[in-house]
Amino acid sequence: MSNPGPKDRKNSKTGQTAGTLFVVSGPSGAGKSTLCRRVVENTGVCLSISATTRPAGGEEVNGRDYYFLSRAEFEKKIADGMFLEYARVFDHYYGTPAEPVLEELKAGRDVILEIDVQGAAQVFAKFPEAVGIFILPPGEAELRNRLRQRGRDDQATMAKRLAQAQWEIEQARQNGRYRYSVVNGDLAAAVREMTEIIENKQRIRK
Ligand code: ADP
Ligand code: 5GP
C-alpha cells in the first residue's frame, strides 16, 4: 500500500471506523496510473498495489508498481483466498491483495483500486458503497499515441490493449456502476477533477 493516509477517522453515522473505497477503471493507456499517483500525492488516500503475472516493463519496480508473480505463485494465492478480486486481462492474471486494503479501510483510511471492469464488478458486489470513477482518453488516436509513447508493450500487446479499450468502455456504460467519468485530456485538469471527486466524498463523510 503506498502513501499512509490521514489519521484514523470515525464514521459519524455508525460510529465505526471505515474508509471509502474508490474503484478507478478505464482503457489501458488512458492515464489511470499517472492520474492516481498524482491524486494520491494531493489527497493522502492510499493506492492499492496489485499483483500480476505480466512481466515488468520499462521502469516498473516490483513492490512499487505491482507485485510481479509467477503464474504458480498467483494461482496459489487464488487458492488461499488472498485476493479481494482478480481477473484475467490481456492473457495475464491481475489481482488485489485483500489484507492491506481491508486493514486500511478498517482504520478509516480511503483506498483507491486501479483495476479493470471485471475485477471492479467483483468489488462492487462485495462493497456496494464503493465509488466508481472511469477514466477516458480524449480520443482513440491519442490513446494510440500514449500507448506508443509509453513504450512498454510490443506491437501485439499494444493491438490487444486498443482492441480491449472499446469493450471496456462499453462494459462500464452497461453496468452503470461508475458514478463519475473523467476525460484525461489536459493532465492538470483531470488531476483536479479527480481530486475534487475524492475530496467531496471525504467532506461528506466528516
Ligand atoms: P494507464 O495506467 O491507464 O494504462 P498510464 O498512466 O500508464 O495509463 O499513461 C499512459 C501514457 O500516457 C504514459 O506514457 C503517460 O505518461 C501518458 N499520459 C497520461 N496522462 C496523460 C495526459 N493527460 N496527457 C498526455 N499524456 C498522458
Ligand atoms: P497494465 O498491464 O496496463 O498495468 O494493466 C492492464 C489492466 O489491468 C488495466 O485495465 C488495469 O486497470 C488492470 N489491473 C491492474 N491491476 C489490477 C487488479 O489488481 N485487478 C484487476 N482486475 N485488474 C487490474
Side-chain angles (χ1 to χ4, degrees):
M1 189 79 45
S2 69
N3 204 354
K7 285 216 163 65
D8 292 6
R9 203 175 42 199
K10 292 232 178 202
N11 181 315
S12 56
K13 283 204 182 119
T14 63
Q16 292 174 336
T17 53
T20 301
L21 199 50
F22 294 94
V23 177
V24 175
S25 307
S28 190
K32 301 180 296 296
S33 306
T34 309
L35 273 174
C36 287
R37 274 198 300 267
R38 298 280 192 96
V39 167
V40 161
E41 283 165 20
N42 286 354
T43 60
V45 293
C46 306
L47 182 60
S48 160
I49 300 171
S50 297
T52 183
T53 57
R54 86 149 160 76
E59 303 188 338
E60 288 181 317
V61 175
N62 187 34
R64 184 194 70 186
D65 299 291
Y66 279 106
Y67 297 107
F68 294 99
L69 304 180
S70 68
R71 191 175 163 153
E73 287 169 331
F74 199 105
E75 286 177 344
K76 168 89 170 54
K77 287 187 188 291
I78 295 175
D80 291 345
M82 304 295 273
F83 290 116
L84 198 65
E85 61 73 34
Y86 71 92
R88 278 187 75 89
V89 188
F90 309 124
D91 303 330
H92 290 291
Y93 282 122
Y94 291 79
T96 303
E99 200 183 314
V101 174
L102 297 177
E103 272 178 12
E104 296 292 353
L105 290 176
K106 213 167 110 194
R109 286 186 284 266
D110 300 338
V111 179
I112 296 179
L113 306 183
E114 193 224 297
I115 60 178
D116 88 312
V117 289
Q118 307 169 76
Q122 298 167 42
V123 172
F124 291 133
K126 283 187 196 161
F127 298 87
E129 277 158 29
V131 177
I133 305 175
F134 200 79
I135 309 299
L136 287 159
E140 202 185 317
E142 176 60 12
L143 185 63
R144 200 181 299 272
N145 274 343
R146 288 185 189 173
L147 286 173
R148 206 178 296 125
Q149 269 166 20
R150 183 169 67 182
R152 203 177 66 201
D153 308 309
D154 58 34
Q155 284 295 333
T157 309
M158 220 147 58
K160 272 188 210 161
R161 290 183 186 279
L162 285 167
Q164 180 93 350
Q166 207 48 48
W167 179 83
E168 190 129 353
I169 293 169
E170 200 44 49
Q171 289 296 307
R173 195 168 292 143
Q174 279 174 19
N175 77 29
R177 276 307 324 248
Y178 294 88
R179 205 176 310 164
Y180 302 95
S181 59
V182 173
V183 177
N184 180 24
D186 176 64
L187 181 60
V191 169
R192 267 200 307 277
E193 205 178 321
M194 198 168 144
T195 302
E196 270 169 25
I197 292 168
I198 289 175
E199 287 181 345
N200 280 339
K201 287 282 155 207
Q202 292 177 330
R203 262 195 294 277
I204 290 167
R205 279 168 39 98
K206 276 186 189 148

